[in-house]
Amino acid sequence: MKSATFNLKLHNNKFSIDDKKKSPINFKAILTLVSSFVIMIGAAFVVYMLQDDFSKFNYDRLNNNFGFLFFSLAAALFAFGVMTFLYDLYLYFKYKPIASVSDEELPTVTVIVPAYNEGKQVWATLKSLAKSDYPKEKLQLLSIDDGSKDDTWQWMKEAKKLLGDQVTIIQQPKNMGKRHALYRGFNMGSGEIFVTVDSDSIVKKDTLRNLVSPIVVDKKCGAVAGNIQVLNNNKALLPKMLNVSFVMSFEFKRSAESSLNSVLCTPGALAAYKASAVFACLPEWIDQKFMGKASDIGEDRALTNMILKQGYSVLFQKNAYAYTNVPEDYIGLYKMFIRWGRSNVRENIAMYKYVFTDFKEGSKFGSRLLFVTQSIKMIMSYPFLLFMMYFIFTHPVLFISSTLLSILVVSTFPVLFYTKRYDLKQALWAYSYSILYTFGLFWITPYSIATAGKSGWLTREIAA
């Protein structure tokens, strides 16, 4: 996705736009938040007023075989979800990021920035990397233009003029896909550790040193996921919602996964890999196929999976920040989620082939638990969709009101979590995002499963 470049400053671990204080009041944002609360509180009132109808519905459901079977299954899944959440909460409190090692201990690093139709943003990305508090003699910065159709290559040349020998720029003869751009970077790189950064991301000054330190400290660590937050969250409503979602996905969920030494996906926006682990699976990774077709999506999840398969731990560094642009409209959002969903389906199948074998020394519980949990969520998306459709057609008022009340209750945890980490004002977007996801994006997982064999990046094309 192509976005404009902003002048940024750091404030309370967050990047913000310089002229933020001069920005006019966003009445659309206020209206969206107020509307979200109105419909949730209204739904709570409807549930209260329709208690007799809910009681009758539950009674009728429990007194027929299909209804009782579904209730039993739903109760079991609910209990599983609660136990999983409580365990994640325990793992979150157990998690601690690893502090940066000294300059002397820091390894040589090759940072690879693949770019496609990114425009001026790649220039800002390379500048932020060049300003890193990392020993210059140990840092190799490579940026690869993957046959862009816009002015990306010109901006990369501008970055080269500005940064000189700090950066090497390469242009692919044609668009071959992000995986091939990374592959070229891996083969050109000389570092002991590879770091991948998306070309629409900005990193903090201490990000690189914090990101690679776990690989230095823990010899069993093969890869590290960075902490991704939203860069363009002051531009549109969707990025505001996604910012809270990203904080939950990374700072809560990946913290829990890291405590199990089994983060399932190191994000393309910011990740570090032990070079020896990459080269051990590089031929398999570049030639990966699904249903007979070359895989051109999910390169980050695939590489993580292959490194886990080698028996390495994969960790998360909460103190290694990258800020990345996300879609600002519904079409861009669902395309991004479809791409992620298809990748999850493919890699869960690949993970199934090794996760119950003796693939690593020590405990394999974490990897197996995460695999089972994710698989159950995927498999149950179809029964949930069928029940949802049935409920909507037979009891639309009961369904909508009870669902909105559930969102009000369940989304309170992300609100509290984000508020404690950052601020309440932004945290409230968790409610609006949950409403959008429940009613506007519920179809993503079942659709991704049904179309897992389809390829294509879906985004990053030039607007017509």
Side-chain angles (χ1 to χ4, degrees):
M1 182 196 63
K2 185 176 178 180
S3 298
T5 304
F6 304 109
N7 293 319
L8 302 166
K9 63 181 180 180
L10 186 61
H11 177 66
N12 292 333
N13 285 334
K14 295 281 287 178
F15 282 101
S16 60
I17 299 176
D18 283 337
D19 60 354
K20 184 178 179 181
K21 293 183 180 178
K22 301 178 183 178
S23 299
I25 296 174
N26 191 334
F27 290 104
K28 187 176 181 181
I30 294 173
L31 178 62
T32 301
L33 282 175
V34 170
S35 300
S36 299
F37 277 99
V38 168
I39 62 174
M40 287 188 295
I41 293 171
F45 178 74
V46 171
V47 170
Y48 174 77
M49 295 298 295
L50 297 179
Q51 289 183 71
D52 291 340
D53 296 84
F54 277 102
S55 297
K56 183 178 185 303
F57 172 77
N58 289 326
Y59 177 82
D60 293 341
R61 185 173 59 174
L62 290 173
N63 280 275
N64 68 76
N65 293 334
F66 175 77
F68 182 77
L69 178 64
F70 182 86
F71 174 80
S72 300
L73 180 60
L77 289 173
F78 177 76
F80 179 76
V82 170
M83 289 188 293
T84 300
F85 169 74
L86 293 175
Y87 188 53
D88 282 345
L89 197 60
Y90 161 74
L91 293 172
Y92 167 76
F93 285 113
K94 182 182 175 183
Y95 166 81
K96 300 293 180 192
I98 294 172
S100 170
V101 298
S102 66
D103 283 4
E104 292 73 25
E105 295 174 285
L106 286 172
T108 56
V109 167
T110 297
V111 181
I112 306 170
V113 183
Y116 178 64
N117 289 350
E118 202 56 71
K120 189 177 180 180
Q121 182 62 51
V122 68
W123 177 78
T125 299
L126 294 173
K127 278 210 310 179
S128 76
L129 287 165
K131 291 178 181 178
S132 296
D133 179 19
Y134 204 94
K136 300 303 180 186
E137 68 278 8
K138 294 184 177 182
L139 181 61
Q140 179 188 28
L141 182 55
L142 303 177
S143 187
I144 302 166
D145 175 28
D146 186 32
S148 296
K149 301 173 184 176
D150 65 352
D151 58 354
T152 295
W153 179 242
Q154 297 303 317
W155 281 110
M156 287 171 62
K157 289 194 289 187
E158 288 296 319
K160 176 66 176 176
K161 289 179 185 177
L162 178 68
L163 303 175
D165 292 339
Q166 286 184 272
V167 62
T168 299
I169 60 174
I170 305 102
Q171 188 176 37
Q172 296 275 67
K174 63 178 181 178
N175 176 237
M176 301 174 67
K178 184 178 179 182
R179 189 178 300 229
H180 284 272
L182 287 171
Y183 180 74
R184 187 169 181 181
F186 289 143
N187 282 298
M188 290 182 62
S190 59
E192 300 166 80
I193 294 177
F194 291 119
V195 171
T196 61
V197 178
D198 278 350
S199 54
D200 59 355
S201 300
I202 301 293
V203 301
K204 286 178 59 179
K205 189 175 181 180
D206 61 354
T207 290
L208 292 182
R209 64 186 307 127
N210 288 337
L211 184 70
V212 304
S213 290
I215 300 178
V216 178
V217 174
D218 183 357
K219 302 305 178 184
K220 294 182 179 179
C221 178
V224 182
N227 189 357
I228 312 302
Q229 294 191 11
V230 174
L231 177 62
N232 55 330
N233 65 330
N234 285 312
K235 288 193 65 184
L237 299 186
L238 283 181
K240 293 178 185 295
M241 300 180 195
L242 287 170
N243 190 46
V244 183
S245 174
F246 272 40
V247 168
M248 281 300 299
S249 176
F250 285 90
E251 298 196 15
F252 181 70
K253 186 59 181 176
R254 278 177 174 79
S255 290
E257 292 179 356
S258 189
S259 294
L260 296 172
N261 300 317
S262 300
V263 173
L264 293 182
C265 182
T266 51
L270 179 67
Y273 306 96
K274 182 179 289 189
S276 58
V278 170
F279 287 123
C281 62
L282 197 57
E284 178 186 3
W285 179 75
I286 193 60
D287 291 329
Q288 186 183 31
K289 291 181 173 57
F290 184 79
M291 297 180 67
K293 298 179 181 177
S295 293
D296 58 358
I297 59 172
E299 65 289 325
D300 47 3
R301 176 75 199 276
L303 188 55
T304 309
N305 212 2
M306 291 177 186
I307 289 175
L308 282 170
K309 183 181 178 181
Q310 294 176 50
Y312 285 107
S313 298
V314 178
L315 305 178
F316 166 67
Q317 273 290 76
K318 186 165 64 176
N319 56 7
Y321 288 89
Y323 301 84
T324 193
N325 284 314
V326 297
E328 297 174 8
D329 56 42
Y330 177 75
I331 294 175
L333 181 65
Y334 79 65
K335 286 182 177 181
M336 181 179 75
F337 281 162
I338 288 172
R339 193 175 72 246
W340 289 356
R342 288 172 179 167
S343 175
N344 284 333
V345 173
R346 296 179 182 194
E347 295 309 317
N348 254 42
I349 293 172
M351 196 172 185
Y352 170 74
K353 297 176 182 178
Y354 74 84
V355 75
F356 295 109
T357 67
D358 190 24
F359 68 98
K360 65 182 292 187
E361 295 180 2
S363 175
K364 305 162 192 65
F365 171 75
S367 299
R368 291 170 179 173
L369 175 65
L370 295 172
F371 166 78
V372 170
T373 302
Q374 191 171 80
S375 297
I376 288 175
K377 289 179 180 178
M378 288 183 184
I379 293 169
M380 293 310 300
S381 66
Y382 280 102
F384 171 79
L385 181 63
L386 292 174
F387 174 74
M388 180 179 175
M389 294 296 102
Y390 170 77
F391 205 174
I392 288 174
F393 284 118
T394 57
H395 302 84
V397 176
L398 298 186
F399 172 79
I400 294 173
S401 60
S402 61
T403 301
L404 287 169
L405 177 59
S406 299
I407 289 172
L408 179 62
V409 174
V410 173
S411 296
T412 298
F413 175 76
V415 170
L416 295 175
F417 183 87
Y418 190 95
T419 300
K420 181 169 177 57
R421 292 285 297 138
Y422 299 103
D423 62 81
L424 175 62
K425 183 179 176 182
Q426 295 295 322
L428 296 176
W429 286 105
Y431 292 115
S432 300
Y433 177 74
S434 294
I435 294 172
L436 170 66
Y437 193 90
T438 302
F439 293 98
L441 297 167
F442 65 90
W443 55 274
I444 293 291
T445 298
Y447 179 79
S448 298
I449 295 172
T451 61
K454 286 191 175 182
S455 299
W457 187 253
L458 299 176
T459 55
R460 292 194 184 274
E461 289 301 326
I462 299 174

